[in-house]
């Protein structure tokens, strides 16, 4: 367990925290005026290896060698020159700080942290963190790595659950959820039933890996919800022909057969470890999915009832109103897709660079 203290005066700035893996949706910008919940579970922190916020440099200002040294293998619109390695925590776990009003930047409904730290140590006024709570962003506090120190404290966090325990006890992430949106200053807020933002980000991350694994050939995923999430995008981005086969694999499932080219596998939510198979499929490309999403795909809940014609039998209870469903088909999060793909060395390939260029120019609205 750790607490974070001010590098200037040593004052404690957080509750005791244990380290977990950074959620895939940490950098997601979802929808328009959406009210997203808190990113991190209370009592935890995660380290973001990439810079966040200003100052910014456009792509044509960056030497290719510098970009590759930073792990960027394909062009992007701009890159942050902020300090990498921020620790991300839940806003409720911050202590002994105050907001810096003049650093609000040009955010819409709250704070976005785009201009750097907007929270100062309450004791010495050193800028130490950026609070993020603007619309369409996950709520979090990002502790500046050059302004805080991590100090061990008494307390032993529970050992990470084994894969077998996660398969039994892991919490599933439902694919649908109500999303709150700002309806306007005069009418407050409203809710709409939508695909889960976490699923859209997870699909964007996994789709980048699926394209790399495809090597430019078609890919076929299992039917049902897995196909709803991936198949249309894969068919739009890859050519026709004999497909490579992707299957779900992970704890509690039978070992995948040797004919599987690609494995959709879970990521440990605490360690960030990707599940690895043994046996004939050990050499297959592993596409990472957040545990909660993978658990739902592995063992989905019963399908929602569908409307039908005719009278209901006397012994059947009426389901009125009908369960809500999203108003549009599933779309992977394009921002997460791009952020992931440009950081994979295979993005140097001309065909993947062409996909990224089309995405930047708005020519890929259909799969996203």
């Amino acid at each position: 367990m750790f607490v974070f203290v001010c590098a200037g005066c040593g004052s404690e700035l957080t509750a005791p925290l244990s380290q977990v893996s950074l959620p895939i949706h940490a950098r997601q910008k979802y929808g328009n005026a959406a009210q997203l919940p808190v990113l991190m579970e209370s009592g935890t922190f995660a380290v973001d290896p990439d810079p966040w916020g200003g100052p910014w440099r456009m792509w044509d200002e960056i030497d290719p060698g510098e970009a590759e040294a930073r792990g960027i293998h394909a062009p992007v619109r701009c890159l942050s020159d902020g300090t990498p390695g921020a620790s991300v925590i839940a806003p409720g776990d911050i202590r002994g700080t105050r907001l810096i009003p003049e650093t609000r930047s040009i955010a819409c409904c709250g704070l976005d942290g785009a201009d750097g730290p907007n929270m100062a140590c309450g004791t010495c006024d050193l800028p130490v963190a950026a609070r993020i709570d603007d619309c369409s962003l996950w709520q979090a506090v990002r502790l500046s790595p050059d302004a805080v120190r991590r100090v061990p404290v008494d307390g032993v966090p529970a050992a990470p659950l084994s894969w077998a325990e996660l398969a039994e006890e892991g919490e599933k992430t439902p694919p649908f959820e109500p999303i709150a949106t700002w309806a306007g200053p005069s009418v407050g807020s409203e809710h709409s039933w939508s695909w889960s933002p976490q699923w859209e980000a997870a699909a964007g991350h996994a789709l980048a890996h699926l394209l790399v694994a495809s090597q430019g050939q078609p890919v076929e995923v299992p039917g049902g919800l897995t196909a709803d999430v991936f198949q249309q995008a894969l068919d739009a981005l890859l050519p026709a022909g004999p497909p490579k086969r992707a299957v779900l694999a992970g704890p509690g499932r039978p070992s995948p057969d040797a004919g599987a080219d690609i494995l959709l596998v879970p990521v440990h939510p605490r360690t960030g470890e990707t599940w690895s198979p043994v046996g004939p499929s050990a050499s297959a490309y592993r596409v990472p999915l957040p545990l909660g999403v993978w658990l739902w795909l592995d063992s989905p809940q019963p399908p929602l009832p569908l409307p039908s014609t005719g009278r209901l039998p006397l012994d059947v209870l009426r389901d009125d109103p009908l369960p809500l469903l999203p108003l549009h088909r599933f779309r992977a999060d394009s921002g997460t897709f791009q952020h992931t793909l440009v950081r994979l060395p295979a993005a140097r390939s001309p065909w993947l660079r062409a996909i990224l260029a089309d995405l930047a120019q708005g020519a890929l609205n259909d799969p996203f």
Side-chain angles (χ1 to χ4, degrees):
M1 302 286 289
F2 301 91
V3 296
F4 289 84
V5 302
C6 174
C9 66
S11 297
E12 289 191 4
L13 301 176
T14 70
L17 306 171
S18 58
Q19 187 169 5
V20 297
S21 177
L22 183 71
I24 284 173
H25 52 281
R27 289 172 172 265
Q28 182 183 28
K29 183 175 176 62
Y30 179 82
N32 181 29
Q35 296 176 279
L36 295 182
V38 172
L39 173 68
M40 301 297 300
E41 183 179 347
S42 180
T44 68
F45 76 95
V47 177
D48 187 350
D50 292 319
W52 172 282
W56 301 87
R57 279 190 292 161
M58 303 303 293
W59 180 254
D60 57 10
E61 301 177 84
I62 300 169
D63 181 84
E66 178 191 351
E68 190 160 326
R70 293 177 59 171
I72 311 295
H73 303 287
V76 295
R77 179 175 175 271
C78 58
L79 280 177
S80 166
D81 267 351
T83 305
S87 294
V88 188
I89 68 172
D93 286 331
I94 196 72
R95 303 286 188 270
T97 59
R98 65 170 185 84
L99 288 172
I100 309 173
E102 57 271 23
T103 58
R104 184 181 181 276
S105 73
I106 56 172
C108 178
C109 302
L111 304 170
D112 63 6
D115 289 342
N118 54 31
M119 303 182 76
C121 172
T123 302
C124 70
D125 273 348
L126 178 71
V128 292
R131 170 71 185 258
I132 298 163
D133 55 18
D134 198 13
C135 57
S136 299
L137 299 177
W138 291 86
Q139 298 181 46
V141 170
R142 302 176 63 89
L143 299 167
S144 302
D146 51 358
V148 301
R149 291 185 291 107
R150 192 167 69 184
V151 178
V153 296
D154 292 338
V156 180
L161 294 178
S162 68
W163 284 115
E165 291 171 326
L166 286 172
E168 288 291 327
E169 305 173 22
E171 185 176 347
K172 295 180 180 180
T173 303
F176 315 118
E177 63 180 83
I179 301 295
T181 58
W182 291 109
S186 60
V187 291
S189 62
E190 61 181 15
H191 292 75
S192 62
W193 197 256
S194 176
W195 290 99
S196 164
Q198 294 185 53
W199 274 69
E200 294 189 6
H205 182 79
L207 184 60
H209 283 275
L210 280 166
L211 290 186
V212 170
S214 76
Q215 297 179 322
Q217 300 177 36
V219 172
E220 182 180 55
V221 299
L225 184 57
T226 308
D228 292 342
V229 170
F230 293 114
Q231 197 63 63
Q232 186 167 354
L234 289 169
D235 292 345
L237 296 172
L238 295 170
K244 290 190 172 186
R245 190 162 65 95
V247 301
L248 285 169
R253 291 184 66 88
S255 297
D257 59 67
D261 304 293
I262 304 167
L263 306 181
L264 299 165
V265 300
V267 174
H268 198 291
R270 181 164 167 187
T271 66
E273 172 193 2
T274 302
W275 182 85
S276 298
V278 294
S281 61
S283 60
Y285 190 107
R286 291 175 294 148
V287 173
L289 286 170
L291 177 71
V293 172
W294 184 90
L295 287 172
W296 193 286
L297 290 175
D298 175 60
S299 181
Q301 300 286 12
L304 294 173
L306 298 175
S308 61
T309 59
R311 290 180 174 272
L312 289 173
L314 293 177
D315 59 345
V316 174
L317 294 176
R318 183 177 180 86
D319 187 6
D320 187 15
L322 291 170
L324 296 174
L325 288 172
L327 299 178
H328 59 82
R329 66 172 177 80
F330 184 87
R331 293 185 178 92
D333 183 71
S334 60
T336 307
F337 169 80
Q338 183 199 44
H339 181 84
T340 303
L341 185 54
V342 300
R343 286 162 174 78
L344 298 175
R348 303 188 192 103
S349 304
W351 71 276
L352 286 174
R353 289 203 171 198
I355 288 175
L356 287 166
D358 287 344
L359 180 64
Q361 295 166 11
L364 290 180
N365 292 330
D366 183 54
F368 297 102

